[in-house]
Amino acid sequence: MRMVDIIHKKREGGTLTQEELDWLAAGAGDGSIPDYQLSALLMAIFFQGMSREETVGLTLSMARSGDMADLSPIPGVKVDKHSTGGVGDKTSLICGPMAAACGVKIAKMSGRGLGHTGGTVDKLESIPGLSMNIPRERFFQIVRETGIAIVGQSGSLCPADKKLYALRDVTAAVDSMPLIAASIMSKKLASGADAILLDVKTGSGALLKSPEEAQTLARLMVDTGNGAGRRTAALITDMDAPLGRCIGNALEVREAVEVLSGRGEERLTALCEELAAGMVRLAGLAENQQQALDMARESVHSGAALAALKGMVCAQGGDAACLEDTSKLAVSPVCVEAAIPESGYISGLNAELCGRAAMELGAGRERKEDSIDYGAGIVLLKTRGEPVRQGEPFARLYAQTEAQCRRAQEQLLAALDITKERPPERPLILARIGLD
Ligand code: URA
């Protein structure tokens, strides 16, 4: 097979065969196909698109380019959950333990944050002692005993995606629907879960800004997962403003504990209940949405969900005392309070700009190799929809230096839109796919 023929075929709008897809994913993964030819193919796919069957085929080939996890030593239905990325999105730390407390088995592999969006690995690593690098047998044992374990993605997971994603990033080919779907779903398939719940974000902080694009991507990923033999469903949810009140790793762990203690912010709590209920339904543990939601809520009221998080943290070597007393979690030494610049209602709080402000504070990374400050971040004292008065406290910013706080404060204030009239409420869940 010759790469130049595959590029030519796609450039002319042809459909690649499974054999061709397998060959090119293997070559991307093992480095035998040069970057310039892969880049040319990615651009041809960007313009010509891919059929649904081709997208499923590419996803499977990419998944098989590395290790495919076999979770069969864990009894029960294993359900994974994936968010397409957001600001203040700590939902995995909340809906995971809720679903685990309801009997779902969660053996999850997560990623680090990049750019303005955060990652579950960084949030969990802000808990002193906690390891995300757990040997396979121990990982399985933790899931069997506590219902949930979350580890980092191993280096041998989807090498084809690592190569193709890095090339897309530098060749302006990230926002292609089939390439996004194949990239995300190949990692989910290789992670081995029986069922997958996708949280596809839309709004200013999301990869895809419009609800229509999010819906198209969600439908494609659901079809891809189901086409590959995994039960897959999706929620399309709002990411126009940050989720919850905290942005930054240790701050978000603290907020997760608040929600699991029944004292969480309303929208964040509602989204986590929905996600946990979706996972419960995918596992076949509830007859309908209402029953699943009741189970998710009861897991918080009874304390079982918080106990599941504590069990996981302990088993992964973390200091669970930090969850009993969250003031023990890291907090950066300098704190600056930003004030509301004018009276009215907060009609917008641009999530991407908030995420960039958190990066400025040291809570996120621009490049993969950058280090982060676990105690840095933002606590929003006011958020979208709320009435505000000029001069009252808007947010607390935490960082290592005053200069970082001042720069971030400017960005955070630029994220803020204030109007005289109360803005209409934005729906939290825009659509459900595969959960009716
Ligand atoms: N996240 C991924 O893992 N891949 C993409 O292509 C986009 C977001």
Side-chain angles (χ1 to χ4, degrees), residues 56 183 345 436:
V56 174
S183 167
Y345 290 90
D436 305 319

Side-chain angles (χ1 to χ4, degrees), residues 165 168 179-180 183-184 187 207:
Y165 198 14
R168 284 164 59 208
L179 292 178
I180 299 174
S183 167
I184 292 176
K187 285 174 287 207
L207 185 64

Side-chain angles (χ1 to χ4, degrees), residues 249-282:
N249 299 290
L251 290 170
E252 292 190 42
V253 171
R254 187 182 298 192
E255 190 171 28
V257 172
E258 290 281 301
V259 179
L260 290 173
S261 306
R263 300 186 300 268
E265 192 238 22
E266 208 181 304
R267 271 171 91 84
L268 173 61
T269 303
L271 177 56
C272 292
E273 288 170 355
E274 277 279 341
L275 289 167
M279 294 169 82
V280 166
R281 288 183 66 193
L282 284 174

